[in-house]
Amino acid sequence: MRNAFADEITKLAAADKRVVLLSGDIGNNLFNKFKDIAPDRFYNCGVAEANMMSVAAGMALCGLRPIIYTITPFTTTRCFEQIRVGVCYHQAPVIIVGTGSGLSYAELGPTHHSCEDMAILRVLPHMTVIAPGDVPELRTGLRAALKHNGPVYMRIGKKGEPNMHASEPDFKIGKSFTIRPGTDVCLISTGVMLPVAVEAAKMLEQQGISARVESFPTVKPLDTDALKEIFQKNQVVASIEEHSRLGGLGGSIAEWLAAQDAPRARLVQFGTDDTFMHEIGVTNYARAKFGLTAENISRTVAARVTARRAA
């Protein structure tokens, strides 16, 4: 995803002279093409992320369209106050991009994990939260974010994520995409877990369970129209995210669900536990530890379906 981000932001900068890119001492070679076309609109702000956020807020209030890019925890938790007061309070149109979201940097330990970012940023007034599931969603989501007149947070993966869309979707903030149709259960995914959700759906199909996969690249605002349809038509609905089960996609859906009248489906959440992972391992190891595998998701959902049918 990060290579696609660098390519797309270069195209956007060529077309819009207001676009300014600020980096937290990362990706300098990644943005060589950007610097070739706009050398005066790239700023390496160093390991001073809180200051970088304030600089971006000031630029936005002066009519520019700043985009911040660095590793996810360093552009979110490290400068939360600057996001809250400098960006959101003024409704400044700053796009905050966190790369290597979730457990992408699992081998570097909890300092580089980001399993709280969507939770803390979605509670901020005026903030939009986007988590593209593949490169087509990233490209179109970035364009939509640039058109949005307000702050946007976009968490992206690292590299090597497969495309789930055959072509670029018509991205609209607050709208979901049906990746795979189904009639028994619905797997709602956000961000880099989308390929895992698709694989889990295929495993469920082998067990005679028809599984729909719905991509929610926007976590705030939620596509409540899609949720109403999903919870009325399915037996079980699963939220799947590389983020804590507290406060992210699943938490958002649970909050919405609490205010609804007796939906047909039951919600099951897949995400990380309310803990720090002190063990060191690659991303797949970390995912397995938290049950974020297609095998565990399909097995758990199938058991819920069996229980519902027997009730």
Side-chain angles (χ1 to χ4, degrees):
M1 281 192 184
R2 61 187 181 190
N3 291 338
F5 169 78
D7 180 67
E8 190 63 35
I9 198 62
T10 301
K11 294 177 180 176
L12 293 173
D16 189 339
K17 303 302 182 184
R18 301 173 303 158
V19 172
V20 180
L21 180 59
L22 296 86
S23 168
D25 201 29
I26 184 176
N28 290 318
N29 292 331
L30 182 67
F31 298 121
N32 280 341
K33 291 183 179 179
F34 184 101
K35 289 182 280 187
D36 286 342
I37 65 137
D40 58 340
R41 287 186 276 144
F42 175 83
Y43 297 90
N44 182 347
C45 297
V47 286
E49 292 87 355
N51 181 66
M52 176 171 63
M53 192 64 63
S54 296
V55 169
M59 288 178 166
L61 294 174
C62 290
L64 297 174
R65 293 307 306 266
I67 301 172
I68 286 177
Y69 174 91
T70 193
I71 298 174
T72 303
F74 308 137
T75 196
T76 55
T77 50
R78 180 169 289 179
C79 42
F80 181 74
E81 181 182 357
Q82 286 73 25
I83 297 173
R84 177 178 180 269
V85 179
V87 177
C88 290
Y89 179 71
H90 297 286
Q91 300 185 47
V94 176
I95 300 174
I96 303 164
V97 178
T99 187
S101 63
L103 300 167
S104 297
Y105 286 102
E107 67 275 14
L108 296 183
T111 58
H112 284 61
H113 301 171
S114 56
C115 299
E116 318 85 9
D117 51 309
M118 291 195 294
I120 65 170
L121 292 189
R122 77 176 183 88
V123 300
L124 292 177
H126 310 302
M127 178 62 81
T128 292
V129 177
I130 295 174
D134 63 2
V135 166
E137 287 187 2
L138 182 150
R139 289 184 181 274
T140 53
L142 191 57
R143 294 171 207 158
L146 191 59
K147 294 177 182 177
H148 182 67
N149 189 28
V152 175
Y153 170 56
M154 177 182 285
R155 61 159 14 210
I156 68 174
K158 193 176 175 184
K159 59 182 179 180
E161 299 88 357
N163 288 346
M164 295 293 102
H165 292 268
S167 59
E168 289 189 352
D170 182 17
F171 193 106
K172 291 183 175 64
I173 291 175
K175 293 299 180 182
S176 65
F177 301 113
T178 300
I179 304 298
R180 176 189 172 98
T183 56
D184 296 324
V185 303
C186 183
L187 309 181
I188 301 178
S189 176
T190 193
V192 295
M193 292 302 295
L194 185 56
V196 177
V198 171
E199 185 62 29
K202 294 177 181 177
M203 292 180 177
L204 286 166
E205 185 177 42
Q206 294 172 359
Q207 302 175 62
I209 299 172
S210 176
R212 171 178 172 178
V213 176
E214 194 78 6
S215 176
F216 266 55
T218 312
V219 174
K220 181 190 177 184
L222 285 173
D223 188 343
T224 55
D225 289 336
L227 288 176
K228 289 176 183 176
E229 179 219 352
I230 288 167
F231 274 88
Q232 289 300 327
K233 289 185 176 180
N234 294 275
Q235 301 173 46
V236 175
V237 175
S239 63
I240 303 169
E241 59 193 315
E242 201 170 88
H243 182 278
S244 173
R245 292 190 298 275
L246 304 177
L249 173 67
S252 300
I253 294 173
E255 291 170 11
W256 170 84
L257 190 60
Q260 306 307 305
D261 294 328
R264 178 188 178 204
R266 302 293 294 179
L267 174 66
V268 56
Q269 295 174 248
F270 294 94
T272 60
D273 298 336
D274 184 24
T275 185
F276 291 108
M277 181 179 165
H278 292 282
E279 303 162 51
I280 300 300
V282 297
T283 300
N284 284 341
Y285 173 82
R287 285 182 174 180
K289 179 177 175 63
F290 291 120
L292 292 173
T293 64
E295 293 79 6
N296 182 62
I297 292 167
S298 61
R299 180 171 57 249
T300 303
V301 170
R304 294 294 182 96
V305 171
T306 300
R308 290 298 304 272
R309 289 174 175 174

